[in-house]
Structure formats: C-alpha cells, structure tokens
Amino acid sequence: MTDAPEVRTRADLVLRNVVLPSALCQGLPGTDLGDGLMRMDLAITDGRIAQPGPAQQVRDMGGRITLPGLIDAHVHLDKTLTVQRTGFARSGLAEAVGLAMADAPNRTAADLTARMDRAIGMAWRQGTVALRTHLDSMTAPDDSPAWQALAQMQARWQGRMVLEPVALMRIDRALEPGFATRCAQIAARGGLAGGYIPAEGCDPAAVDAFLIHAGHAGLAVDFHVDECLDPNAQGIATVLDAIARTGFDRPVTLGHCCALSAMDRPRALALAERMARAGVRVIALPLTNAFLMDRAPGTSPRLRGMTMVQELAALGVPVGFASDNVRDAFYPYGAYDLWEVFRQAVLTLQLEAAPQDWLPAIAARAGQVMGLEAGIIAPGAPADLIVFDARDWTDLMSRAHENRLVLRAGHPLDGAPAWT
Ligand SMILES: [Zn+2]
C-alpha cells in the first residue's frame, strides 16, 4: 500500500480583496460587482492559483484590480532599441523599411543579445509572460545571428518568458531551392513561417508554395499583411485565396490588416467574413499603426490606421493587440508595456463602452493566437499577476500605472511599489 498523497490544508498565500475582470477569470467564486468586475480572495499554492481556503500568509490588496500575466503576440526583438542609430521614418512604412535595412550590418551577435535581453527585461518587469517575435530572416535560421541570439535568450529566460520566433522572409523565397530545408530549421527551433504581403498582393504561385512548404514542415504562419490604407489592397485576399487553393490547415495569423478600415464598407465586411470562415487570427498594432499610417511630412493624418477590430471580433475572429516595433525606425517610442498598448487601442478604436470585453486581446485571446493556455486567472494556472493601484475602470484606464505590482508564481518581482 502506498502512502496517500499529502493533502494541502493551507495555501501558501492568500491575496485578500482583489478585484478581477470576469473576462479574465474562470472557475473562481467571487462577488459580482457589476461592470465586468468580481471581488474575491485569491489563494496561491506552489506558485499556482488554488481553491480558496486558509493560508500561511495573507495580504490585503485593498480592492485593487488585478490582471493575469500578459501576452505580446507581435514584436521585433531583432530591430528593437535601435532608433538612436537608425533615426525614424518621417514619411511612412517604406522609409522605415529602408532605414532598418541600412542598419542590418550593425546587428552583430553581441548587439542582438544585448538589445534583446534589455527588451525582454522591460516586458518582464511590466508583467508580460510571453512574446512572439518576428526575426528578419535573410538566411536560414542556422546561419542567422538573430536566430542564434534568440536561442540564447530562450535559455536565459527559460521559465520566465515564453519566446516564440517567426521567420520574416520574402514570400518568393518559397520558389527558391532550399526553402524546405529552411522550413525544417524553423520547425526545429519551434518557430513559425512569416513574411510581408504587400497591398498589391504576391505571385499566387509563391504564396501557394510558401504554404505548402510550411504545411509539410508542420509550421503555423504569421504574415504582415495590408499594412497600408489602400482601399484596393489585395494582401488579405491573396492569403485567403492561397489557403483555399492549398488546403493549408495550420494556424494563420494576420498582422496589421489596416487596409480593411479604408475599404468601402460592404467590401471590407465581405472580406472580414471570409477571414472568419478561414479561421485566421488577427493582431492589431495600435502604436505602430498610429505612427506609420496616413503619414506624410507636414500634413496631419486623417485616418486612424487601425483595422476593424469590432467587426472582426463580432464575426468570431480572435483579435489581439500587440506592441510591434519598440524604439526603432518603425516606431521611435514604446517600452514593451501592454498596458500602454491596450490604452492606445481603446482610445484609437473607441472601445471604452466595454473595455473588459477587450482585455483578453492582451491576455487569453493573444495566448490563443500563440497557442498558449495563458492569460487567464483560474485554479491551477500560474500565479502570474499584475496588481494595479486602481479600483474602478475609470481610474484603471486613466493612468499608465508604472507603479503596478507584478507577481510571478506568487512572488513579487524586486522593487515593489510604494503603495504595497
Ligand atoms: Zn511587425
């Protein structure tokens, strides 16, 4: 006869009197406060959320709003923190691409690891638990300093930050010899295949070959698509047509999709319905889109530059918000702070009627895009939490909350804010 497993009767810690958005909370009893908020005591045992009960230690959170660890499903760690040497685009996306390409020779192994490590640290300190990063991939991963630097970061940040790479490639590379080998290397490193689909679309044969090779290697794909305000943009349709022709059945993420907001409404809605039927996921990038779209020196922007997230979400398309570029040629500011991204999204997209409905876009829904079960507070989930010094939506949304308390596996990171 074996010994019965030890029965825990006391949690390690109870956070008393926390307020959670019900959209980010599952299977936990609490008091409904209305407005999408619930008050409860949150028990933590062995670094995970536990059923409520007596505890070794109790901390009163004073009714402060608490979110799970957040998920940033679209960043560029290879370009980040280079704006001091690249400058930033005055005239839009094409100029930014040129500035970034000119800087590529400066991206040595030492440069990449130093900048990536700093960027990941910024995200970590603010409560982010996972990053999907695009990496410019002129060569196959085995020959790429950026992929090697990322592998070092995956080892260094193991257990603290999920780091998922996407190979950002020319689509027509799929027609070149060696693309199957390249896809196999991406798969071996746990990555995705990605690329830039311009407004005019791409050679259908190249997109088909891209998806066929990706499918054979078991790769999901993540494209930059229709990052423009051309009402006649064909990028999204190009991808959807290729999915239909090839029967590609792995997850497809489409970043940007700004052009939907510039198309005439019936055409945009028809395209959104096709996106829903194809099962694609969409990531909107509020800071970079606001910066680059409808941009020209000496003129004021008239268009907001963001895709039609409300219509896509209503059709059942998973929509996430992410950082995209941080302090590089594409966007000169930013701090890997998803709270800043979320506030910008709510303002730009006029989502303030129900911000709670959109919080999953930086948490569980962004996790769904990445295939992660994260971004939710539930029994058994890691006790990765962010406690904001705010007790209602108005106060929460009104401030940057740089003094938030971040807990990982139930333990506060160093440098707890003064209010604790
Ligand atoms: Zn991007």
Side-chain angles (χ1 to χ4, degrees), residues 270-317:
L271 198 49
E273 285 168 12
R274 280 192 69 196
M275 294 164 76
R277 284 198 299 277
V280 304
R281 303 109 190 258
V282 168
I283 299 288
L285 297 312
L287 300 175
T288 308
N289 290 162
F291 182 77
L292 283 178
M293 294 296 102
D294 203 17
R295 183 177 190 88
T299 66
S300 300
R302 293 169 300 163
L303 304 171
R304 297 194 177 210
M306 294 278 287
T307 194
M308 46 198 301
V309 300
Q310 301 200 54
E311 292 84 347
L312 288 166
L315 289 164
V317 175

mmCIF file of all heavy atoms in Angstrom, residues 270-317:
data_model
loop_
_atom_site.group_PDB
_atom_site.id
_atom_site.type_symbol
_atom_site.label_atom_id
_atom_site.label_comp_id
_atom_site.label_asym_id
_atom_site.label_seq_id
_atom_site.Cartn_x
_atom_site.Cartn_y
_atom_site.Cartn_z
ATOM 1 N N ALA A 270 -17.324 41.884 -46.367
ATOM 2 C CA ALA A 270 -17.262 40.605 -47.082
ATOM 3 C C ALA A 270 -15.908 39.932 -46.862
ATOM 4 O O ALA A 270 -15.823 38.712 -46.663
ATOM 5 C CB ALA A 270 -17.506 40.844 -48.576
ATOM 6 N N LEU A 271 -14.845 40.761 -46.855
ATOM 7 C CA LEU A 271 -13.508 40.206 -46.621
ATOM 8 C C LEU A 271 -13.385 39.704 -45.176
ATOM 9 O O LEU A 271 -12.820 38.628 -44.922
ATOM 10 C CB LEU A 271 -12.470 41.294 -46.912
ATOM 11 C CG LEU A 271 -11.029 40.878 -47.144
ATOM 12 C CD1 LEU A 271 -10.911 39.747 -48.143
ATOM 13 C CD2 LEU A 271 -10.220 42.088 -47.595
ATOM 14 N N ALA A 272 -13.941 40.474 -44.245
ATOM 15 C CA ALA A 272 -13.899 40.047 -42.834
ATOM 16 C C ALA A 272 -14.638 38.723 -42.650
ATOM 17 O O ALA A 272 -14.194 37.844 -41.894
ATOM 18 C CB ALA A 272 -14.502 41.131 -41.946
ATOM 19 N N GLU A 273 -15.750 38.565 -43.362
ATOM 20 C CA GLU A 273 -16.488 37.292 -43.267
ATOM 21 C C GLU A 273 -15.662 36.141 -43.837
ATOM 22 O O GLU A 273 -15.647 35.035 -43.283
ATOM 23 C CB GLU A 273 -17.839 37.412 -43.990
ATOM 24 C CG GLU A 273 -18.839 38.219 -43.184
ATOM 25 C CD GLU A 273 -20.077 38.593 -43.985
ATOM 26 O OE1 GLU A 273 -20.271 38.045 -45.089
ATOM 27 O OE2 GLU A 273 -20.835 39.449 -43.491
ATOM 28 N N ARG A 274 -14.943 36.409 -44.911
ATOM 29 C CA ARG A 274 -14.061 35.359 -45.456
ATOM 30 C C ARG A 274 -12.960 35.020 -44.449
ATOM 31 O O ARG A 274 -12.570 33.853 -44.306
ATOM 32 C CB ARG A 274 -13.397 35.841 -46.753
ATOM 33 C CG ARG A 274 -14.266 35.765 -47.988
ATOM 34 C CD ARG A 274 -13.407 35.974 -49.241
ATOM 35 N NE ARG A 274 -12.504 34.848 -49.485
ATOM 36 C CZ ARG A 274 -11.459 34.889 -50.302
ATOM 37 N NH1 ARG A 274 -11.184 35.997 -50.961
ATOM 38 N NH2 ARG A 274 -10.685 33.829 -50.462
ATOM 39 N N MET A 275 -12.432 36.039 -43.766
ATOM 40 C CA MET A 275 -11.382 35.789 -42.764
ATOM 41 C C MET A 275 -11.929 34.900 -41.649
ATOM 42 O O MET A 275 -11.255 33.976 -41.187
ATOM 43 C CB MET A 275 -10.878 37.125 -42.194
ATOM 44 C CG MET A 275 -10.151 37.987 -43.224
ATOM 45 S SD MET A 275 -9.969 39.707 -42.701
ATOM 46 C CE MET A 275 -8.630 39.560 -41.511
ATOM 47 N N ALA A 276 -13.163 35.176 -41.234
ATOM 48 C CA ALA A 276 -13.767 34.371 -40.166
ATOM 49 C C ALA A 276 -13.953 32.928 -40.627
ATOM 50 O O ALA A 276 -13.633 31.985 -39.894
ATOM 51 C CB ALA A 276 -15.102 34.990 -39.748
ATOM 52 N N ARG A 277 -14.432 32.770 -41.839
ATOM 53 C CA ARG A 277 -14.657 31.401 -42.348
ATOM 54 C C ARG A 277 -13.337 30.636 -42.480
ATOM 55 O O ARG A 277 -13.290 29.432 -42.267
ATOM 56 C CB ARG A 277 -15.370 31.449 -43.705
ATOM 57 C CG ARG A 277 -16.859 31.757 -43.615
ATOM 58 C CD ARG A 277 -17.588 31.354 -44.901
ATOM 59 N NE ARG A 277 -17.114 32.069 -46.072
ATOM 60 C CZ ARG A 277 -17.520 33.291 -46.427
ATOM 61 N NH1 ARG A 277 -18.431 33.921 -45.701
ATOM 62 N NH2 ARG A 277 -17.042 33.867 -47.505
ATOM 63 N N ALA A 278 -12.270 31.343 -42.826
ATOM 64 C CA ALA A 278 -10.967 30.686 -42.984
ATOM 65 C C ALA A 278 -10.306 30.397 -41.636
ATOM 66 O O ALA A 278 -9.289 29.703 -41.580
ATOM 67 C CB ALA A 278 -10.045 31.566 -43.835
ATOM 68 N N GLY A 279 -10.853 30.961 -40.564
ATOM 69 C CA GLY A 279 -10.321 30.670 -39.229
ATOM 70 C C GLY A 279 -9.025 31.385 -38.904
ATOM 71 O O GLY A 279 -8.267 30.944 -38.043
ATOM 72 N N VAL A 280 -8.744 32.517 -39.586
ATOM 73 C CA VAL A 280 -7.499 33.232 -39.292
ATOM 74 C C VAL A 280 -7.637 34.012 -37.988
ATOM 75 O O VAL A 280 -8.739 34.275 -37.506
ATOM 76 C CB VAL A 280 -7.100 34.195 -40.433
ATOM 77 C CG1 VAL A 280 -6.987 33.454 -41.752
ATOM 78 C CG2 VAL A 280 -8.087 35.354 -40.561
ATOM 79 N N ARG A 281 -6.493 34.341 -37.409
ATOM 80 C CA ARG A 281 -6.442 35.211 -36.228
ATOM 81 C C ARG A 281 -5.831 36.549 -36.656
ATOM 82 O O ARG A 281 -5.030 36.572 -37.594
ATOM 83 C CB ARG A 281 -5.543 34.583 -35.151
ATOM 84 C CG ARG A 281 -5.950 33.179 -34.718
ATOM 85 C CD ARG A 281 -4.980 32.113 -35.215
ATOM 86 N NE ARG A 281 -5.503 30.759 -35.001
ATOM 87 C CZ ARG A 281 -5.106 29.976 -34.007
ATOM 88 N NH1 ARG A 281 -4.167 30.372 -33.181
ATOM 89 N NH2 ARG A 281 -5.635 28.787 -33.842
ATOM 90 N N VAL A 282 -6.181 37.611 -35.973
ATOM 91 C CA VAL A 282 -5.712 38.945 -36.364
ATOM 92 C C VAL A 282 -5.033 39.625 -35.172
ATOM 93 O O VAL A 282 -5.527 39.561 -34.042
ATOM 94 C CB VAL A 282 -6.888 39.810 -36.861
ATOM 95 C CG1 VAL A 282 -6.485 41.275 -36.988
ATOM 96 C CG2 VAL A 282 -7.388 39.292 -38.213
ATOM 97 N N ILE A 283 -3.886 40.241 -35.452
ATOM 98 C CA ILE A 283 -3.212 41.054 -34.441
ATOM 99 C C ILE A 283 -3.178 42.497 -34.948
ATOM 100 O O ILE A 283 -2.678 42.766 -36.043
ATOM 101 C CB ILE A 283 -1.766 40.568 -34.196
ATOM 102 C CG1 ILE A 283 -1.748 39.125 -33.675
ATOM 103 C CG2 ILE A 283 -1.055 41.499 -33.227
ATOM 104 C CD1 ILE A 283 -2.218 38.956 -32.262
ATOM 105 N N ALA A 284 -3.725 43.400 -34.150
ATOM 106 C CA ALA A 284 -3.661 44.835 -34.451
ATOM 107 C C ALA A 284 -2.539 45.450 -33.614
ATOM 108 O O ALA A 284 -2.280 45.009 -32.494
ATOM 109 C CB ALA A 284 -4.995 45.500 -34.126
ATOM 110 N N LEU A 285 -1.888 46.450 -34.192
ATOM 111 C CA LEU A 285 -0.695 47.008 -33.582
ATOM 112 C C LEU A 285 -0.888 48.512 -33.378
ATOM 113 O O LEU A 285 -0.458 49.321 -34.219
ATOM 114 C CB LEU A 285 0.519 46.735 -34.482
ATOM 115 C CG LEU A 285 0.972 45.292 -34.759
ATOM 116 C CD1 LEU A 285 1.065 44.466 -33.479
ATOM 117 C CD2 LEU A 285 0.156 44.562 -35.776
ATOM 118 N N PRO A 286 -1.555 48.915 -32.305
ATOM 119 C CA PRO A 286 -2.029 50.306 -32.191
ATOM 120 C C PRO A 286 -0.938 51.366 -32.252
ATOM 121 O O PRO A 286 -1.127 52.386 -32.910
ATOM 122 C CB PRO A 286 -2.719 50.338 -30.823
ATOM 123 C CG PRO A 286 -3.036 48.920 -30.503
ATOM 124 C CD PRO A 286 -1.988 48.090 -31.176
ATOM 125 N N LEU A 287 0.196 51.137 -31.594
ATOM 126 C CA LEU A 287 1.195 52.206 -31.530
ATOM 127 C C LEU A 287 1.854 52.402 -32.895
ATOM 128 O O LEU A 287 1.940 53.528 -33.404
ATOM 129 C CB LEU A 287 2.247 51.882 -30.462
ATOM 130 C CG LEU A 287 1.701 51.720 -29.037
ATOM 131 C CD1 LEU A 287 2.806 51.284 -28.089
ATOM 132 C CD2 LEU A 287 1.077 53.009 -28.540
ATOM 133 N N THR A 288 2.299 51.320 -33.510
ATOM 134 C CA THR A 288 2.977 51.446 -34.796
ATOM 135 C C THR A 288 2.009 51.879 -35.894
ATOM 136 O O THR A 288 2.361 52.677 -36.764
ATOM 137 C CB THR A 288 3.648 50.115 -35.183
ATOM 138 O OG1 THR A 288 4.458 49.699 -34.091
ATOM 139 C CG2 THR A 288 4.528 50.273 -36.400
ATOM 140 N N ASN A 289 0.791 51.355 -35.861
ATOM 141 C CA ASN A 289 -0.192 51.764 -36.878
ATOM 142 C C ASN A 289 -0.500 53.254 -36.761
ATOM 143 O O ASN A 289 -0.548 53.964 -37.772
ATOM 144 C CB ASN A 289 -1.475 50.957 -36.748
ATOM 145 C CG ASN A 289 -1.325 49.497 -37.162
ATOM 146 O OD1 ASN A 289 -2.151 48.666 -36.810
ATOM 147 N ND2 ASN A 289 -0.271 49.158 -37.892
ATOM 148 N N ALA A 290 -0.695 53.743 -35.535
ATOM 149 C CA ALA A 290 -0.989 55.165 -35.360
ATOM 150 C C ALA A 290 0.186 56.020 -35.827
ATOM 151 O O ALA A 290 0.004 57.113 -36.360
ATOM 152 C CB ALA A 290 -1.315 55.467 -33.896
ATOM 153 N N PHE A 291 1.389 55.492 -35.667
ATOM 154 C CA PHE A 291 2.579 56.255 -36.037
ATOM 155 C C PHE A 291 2.804 56.269 -37.551
ATOM 156 O O PHE A 291 3.092 57.311 -38.140
ATOM 157 C CB PHE A 291 3.816 55.670 -35.341
ATOM 158 C CG PHE A 291 5.069 56.429 -35.634
ATOM 159 C CD1 PHE A 291 5.330 57.636 -35.008
ATOM 160 C CD2 PHE A 291 5.982 55.963 -36.565
ATOM 161 C CE1 PHE A 291 6.474 58.359 -35.293
ATOM 162 C CE2 PHE A 291 7.134 56.675 -36.859
ATOM 163 C CZ PHE A 291 7.384 57.878 -36.221
ATOM 164 N N LEU A 292 2.668 55.108 -38.204
ATOM 165 C CA LEU A 292 3.082 54.992 -39.609
ATOM 166 C C LEU A 292 1.972 55.240 -40.629
ATOM 167 O O LEU A 292 2.255 55.631 -41.758
ATOM 168 C CB LEU A 292 3.659 53.594 -39.870
ATOM 169 C CG LEU A 292 5.079 53.308 -39.378
ATOM 170 C CD1 LEU A 292 5.461 51.867 -39.694
ATOM 171 C CD2 LEU A 292 6.093 54.269 -39.979
ATOM 172 N N MET A 293 0.729 54.961 -40.247
ATOM 173 C CA MET A 293 -0.332 55.037 -41.253
ATOM 174 C C MET A 293 -0.751 56.481 -41.519
ATOM 175 O O MET A 293 -0.760 57.301 -40.600
ATOM 176 C CB MET A 293 -1.549 54.219 -40.801
ATOM 177 C CG MET A 293 -1.308 52.712 -40.728
ATOM 178 S SD MET A 293 -0.928 51.938 -42.324
ATOM 179 C CE MET A 293 0.848 51.746 -42.207
ATOM 180 N N ASP A 294 -1.124 56.754 -42.757
ATOM 181 C CA ASP A 294 -1.575 58.083 -43.202
ATOM 182 C C ASP A 294 -0.581 59.153 -42.782
ATOM 183 O O ASP A 294 -0.947 60.210 -42.278
ATOM 184 C CB ASP A 294 -2.972 58.389 -42.635
ATOM 185 C CG ASP A 294 -3.697 59.437 -43.486
ATOM 186 O OD1 ASP A 294 -3.276 59.656 -44.637
ATOM 187 O OD2 ASP A 294 -4.666 60.032 -42.993
ATOM 188 N N ARG A 295 0.700 58.861 -43.004
ATOM 189 C CA ARG A 295 1.776 59.730 -42.541
ATOM 190 C C ARG A 295 2.464 60.400 -43.727
ATOM 191 O O ARG A 295 2.837 59.733 -44.696
ATOM 192 C CB ARG A 295 2.799 58.883 -41.772
ATOM 193 C CG ARG A 295 3.934 59.685 -41.187
ATOM 194 C CD ARG A 295 4.888 58.823 -40.376
ATOM 195 N NE ARG A 295 5.793 59.705 -39.671
ATOM 196 C CZ ARG A 295 5.554 60.216 -38.473
ATOM 197 N NH1 ARG A 295 4.472 59.886 -37.821
ATOM 198 N NH2 ARG A 295 6.404 61.051 -37.915
ATOM 199 N N ALA A 296 2.643 61.698 -43.654
ATOM 200 C CA ALA A 296 3.447 62.421 -44.636
ATOM 201 C C ALA A 296 3.960 63.680 -43.954
ATOM 202 O O ALA A 296 3.238 64.282 -43.160
ATOM 203 C CB ALA A 296 2.619 62.787 -45.869
ATOM 204 N N PRO A 297 5.192 64.059 -44.250
ATOM 205 C CA PRO A 297 5.767 65.226 -43.571
ATOM 206 C C PRO A 297 4.920 66.477 -43.783
ATOM 207 O O PRO A 297 4.480 66.753 -44.907
ATOM 208 C CB PRO A 297 7.147 65.380 -44.230
ATOM 209 C CG PRO A 297 7.456 64.044 -44.813
ATOM 210 C CD PRO A 297 6.142 63.446 -45.192
ATOM 211 N N GLY A 298 4.661 67.185 -42.714
ATOM 212 C CA GLY A 298 3.975 68.475 -42.813
ATOM 213 C C GLY A 298 2.479 68.388 -42.993
ATOM 214 O O GLY A 298 1.820 69.403 -43.202
ATOM 215 N N THR A 299 1.915 67.181 -42.943
ATOM 216 C CA THR A 299 0.458 67.060 -43.062
ATOM 217 C C THR A 299 -0.093 66.338 -41.852
ATOM 218 O O THR A 299 0.597 65.544 -41.219
ATOM 219 C CB THR A 299 0.038 66.271 -44.321
ATOM 220 O OG1 THR A 299 0.474 64.915 -44.165
ATOM 221 C CG2 THR A 299 0.652 66.846 -45.576
ATOM 222 N N SER A 300 -1.357 66.597 -41.543
ATOM 223 C CA SER A 300 -1.997 65.929 -40.412
ATOM 224 C C SER A 300 -2.664 64.644 -40.903
ATOM 225 O O SER A 300 -3.280 64.634 -41.969
ATOM 226 C CB SER A 300 -3.065 66.831 -39.792
ATOM 227 O OG SER A 300 -2.466 68.018 -39.334
ATOM 228 N N PRO A 301 -2.571 63.565 -40.113
ATOM 229 C CA PRO A 301 -3.256 62.334 -40.530
ATOM 230 C C PRO A 301 -4.764 62.514 -40.438
ATOM 231 O O PRO A 301 -5.273 63.166 -39.531
ATOM 232 C CB PRO A 301 -2.760 61.303 -39.505
ATOM 233 C CG PRO A 301 -2.380 62.105 -38.307
ATOM 234 C CD PRO A 301 -1.890 63.427 -38.829
ATOM 235 N N ARG A 302 -5.473 61.931 -41.379
ATOM 236 C CA ARG A 302 -6.935 61.979 -41.337
ATOM 237 C C ARG A 302 -7.529 60.639 -40.944
ATOM 238 O O ARG A 302 -8.663 60.560 -40.517
ATOM 239 C CB ARG A 302 -7.478 62.395 -42.713
ATOM 240 C CG ARG A 302 -7.128 63.834 -43.088
ATOM 241 C CD ARG A 302 -7.439 64.097 -44.536
ATOM 242 N NE ARG A 302 -6.662 63.182 -45.381
ATOM 243 C CZ ARG A 302 -6.940 62.929 -46.650
ATOM 244 N NH1 ARG A 302 -7.951 63.510 -47.231
ATOM 245 N NH2 ARG A 302 -6.196 62.103 -47.353
ATOM 246 N N LEU A 303 -6.766 59.571 -41.129
ATOM 247 C CA LEU A 303 -7.276 58.223 -40.864
ATOM 248 C C LEU A 303 -6.544 57.626 -39.652
ATOM 249 O O LEU A 303 -5.392 57.955 -39.406
ATOM 250 C CB LEU A 303 -7.075 57.332 -42.092
ATOM 251 C CG LEU A 303 -7.702 57.886 -43.367
ATOM 252 C CD1 LEU A 303 -7.265 57.064 -44.566
ATOM 253 C CD2 LEU A 303 -9.222 57.896 -43.240
ATOM 254 N N ARG A 304 -7.222 56.759 -38.938
ATOM 255 C CA ARG A 304 -6.632 56.237 -37.710
ATOM 256 C C ARG A 304 -5.668 55.085 -37.948
ATOM 257 O O ARG A 304 -4.833 54.795 -37.105
ATOM 258 C CB ARG A 304 -7.741 55.805 -36.749
ATOM 259 C CG ARG A 304 -8.582 56.991 -36.363
ATOM 260 C CD ARG A 304 -9.482 56.759 -35.191
ATOM 261 N NE ARG A 304 -10.160 58.018 -34.908
ATOM 262 C CZ ARG A 304 -10.562 58.392 -33.724
ATOM 263 N NH1 ARG A 304 -10.389 57.596 -32.684
ATOM 264 N NH2 ARG A 304 -11.159 59.543 -33.554
ATOM 265 N N GLY A 305 -5.840 54.373 -39.040
ATOM 266 C CA GLY A 305 -4.829 53.385 -39.398
ATOM 267 C C GLY A 305 -5.001 52.016 -38.789
ATOM 268 O O GLY A 305 -4.202 51.120 -39.047
ATOM 269 N N MET A 306 -6.047 51.828 -37.987
ATOM 270 C CA MET A 306 -6.237 50.530 -37.325
ATOM 271 C C MET A 306 -7.274 49.703 -38.069
ATOM 272 O O MET A 306 -8.214 50.238 -38.651
ATOM 273 C CB MET A 306 -6.727 50.749 -35.905
ATOM 274 C CG MET A 306 -5.706 51.417 -35.022
ATOM 275 S SD MET A 306 -4.533 50.229 -34.396
ATOM 276 C CE MET A 306 -5.558 49.378 -33.195
ATOM 277 N N THR A 307 -7.133 48.393 -37.997
ATOM 278 C CA THR A 307 -8.090 47.521 -38.667
ATOM 279 C C THR A 307 -9.440 47.523 -37.934
ATOM 280 O O THR A 307 -9.560 48.069 -36.826
ATOM 281 C CB THR A 307 -7.539 46.084 -38.788
ATOM 282 O OG1 THR A 307 -8.349 45.367 -39.712
ATOM 283 C CG2 THR A 307 -7.533 45.367 -37.456
ATOM 284 N N MET A 308 -10.455 46.905 -38.529
ATOM 285 C CA MET A 308 -11.826 46.973 -37.986
ATOM 286 C C MET A 308 -12.029 45.862 -36.950
ATOM 287 O O MET A 308 -12.692 44.863 -37.201
ATOM 288 C CB MET A 308 -12.850 46.911 -39.118
ATOM 289 C CG MET A 308 -12.605 45.844 -40.146
ATOM 290 S SD MET A 308 -13.503 46.116 -41.720
ATOM 291 C CE MET A 308 -15.198 46.157 -41.207
ATOM 292 N N VAL A 309 -11.481 46.093 -35.761
ATOM 293 C CA VAL A 309 -11.455 45.017 -34.758
ATOM 294 C C VAL A 309 -12.849 44.660 -34.251
ATOM 295 O O VAL A 309 -13.113 43.498 -33.951
ATOM 296 C CB VAL A 309 -10.540 45.365 -33.567
ATOM 297 C CG1 VAL A 309 -9.114 45.602 -34.030
ATOM 298 C CG2 VAL A 309 -11.054 46.550 -32.777
ATOM 299 N N GLN A 310 -13.744 45.646 -34.157
ATOM 300 C CA GLN A 310 -15.068 45.322 -33.611
ATOM 301 C C GLN A 310 -15.827 44.384 -34.546
ATOM 302 O O GLN A 310 -16.454 43.412 -34.099
ATOM 303 C CB GLN A 310 -15.863 46.599 -33.360
ATOM 304 C CG GLN A 310 -15.147 47.529 -32.380
ATOM 305 C CD GLN A 310 -16.085 48.539 -31.755
ATOM 306 O OE1 GLN A 310 -17.093 48.176 -31.191
ATOM 307 N NE2 GLN A 310 -15.718 49.799 -31.845
ATOM 308 N N GLU A 311 -15.767 44.665 -35.829
ATOM 309 C CA GLU A 311 -16.470 43.815 -36.793
ATOM 310 C C GLU A 311 -15.837 42.422 -36.857
ATOM 311 O O GLU A 311 -16.543 41.409 -36.924
ATOM 312 C CB GLU A 311 -16.453 44.465 -38.180
ATOM 313 C CG GLU A 311 -17.293 45.748 -38.288
ATOM 314 C CD GLU A 311 -16.554 46.993 -37.815
ATOM 315 O OE1 GLU A 311 -15.487 46.863 -37.171
ATOM 316 O OE2 GLU A 311 -17.044 48.100 -38.091
ATOM 317 N N LEU A 312 -14.500 42.365 -36.849
ATOM 318 C CA LEU A 312 -13.824 41.058 -36.891
ATOM 319 C C LEU A 312 -14.180 40.233 -35.656
ATOM 320 O O LEU A 312 -14.506 39.045 -35.747
ATOM 321 C CB LEU A 312 -12.305 41.254 -36.966
ATOM 322 C CG LEU A 312 -11.777 41.769 -38.308
ATOM 323 C CD1 LEU A 312 -10.329 42.244 -38.166
ATOM 324 C CD2 LEU A 312 -11.859 40.678 -39.376
ATOM 325 N N ALA A 313 -14.135 40.861 -34.479
ATOM 326 C CA ALA A 313 -14.434 40.127 -33.246
ATOM 327 C C ALA A 313 -15.878 39.651 -33.242
ATOM 328 O O ALA A 313 -16.177 38.530 -32.806
ATOM 329 C CB ALA A 313 -14.147 41.009 -32.033
ATOM 330 N N ALA A 314 -16.788 40.496 -33.745
ATOM 331 C CA ALA A 314 -18.206 40.099 -33.778
ATOM 332 C C ALA A 314 -18.416 38.888 -34.684
ATOM 333 O O ALA A 314 -19.344 38.105 -34.474
ATOM 334 C CB ALA A 314 -19.055 41.276 -34.261
ATOM 335 N N LEU A 315 -17.548 38.718 -35.675
ATOM 336 C CA LEU A 315 -17.646 37.562 -36.573
ATOM 337 C C LEU A 315 -16.938 36.331 -36.004
ATOM 338 O O LEU A 315 -16.902 35.281 -36.634
ATOM 339 C CB LEU A 315 -17.032 37.913 -37.936
ATOM 340 C CG LEU A 315 -17.852 38.895 -38.780
ATOM 341 C CD1 LEU A 315 -16.997 39.477 -39.906
ATOM 342 C CD2 LEU A 315 -19.080 38.196 -39.365
ATOM 343 N N GLY A 316 -16.337 36.496 -34.822
ATOM 344 C CA GLY A 316 -15.685 35.350 -34.178
ATOM 345 C C GLY A 316 -14.209 35.221 -34.477
ATOM 346 O O GLY A 316 -13.586 34.216 -34.126
ATOM 347 N N VAL A 317 -13.609 36.234 -35.120
ATOM 348 C CA VAL A 317 -12.169 36.196 -35.385
ATOM 349 C C VAL A 317 -11.432 36.553 -34.091
ATOM 350 O O VAL A 317 -11.703 37.604 -33.509
ATOM 351 C CB VAL A 317 -11.784 37.204 -36.496
ATOM 352 C CG1 VAL A 317 -10.271 37.247 -36.685
ATOM 353 C CG2 VAL A 317 -12.486 36.849 -37.799
#
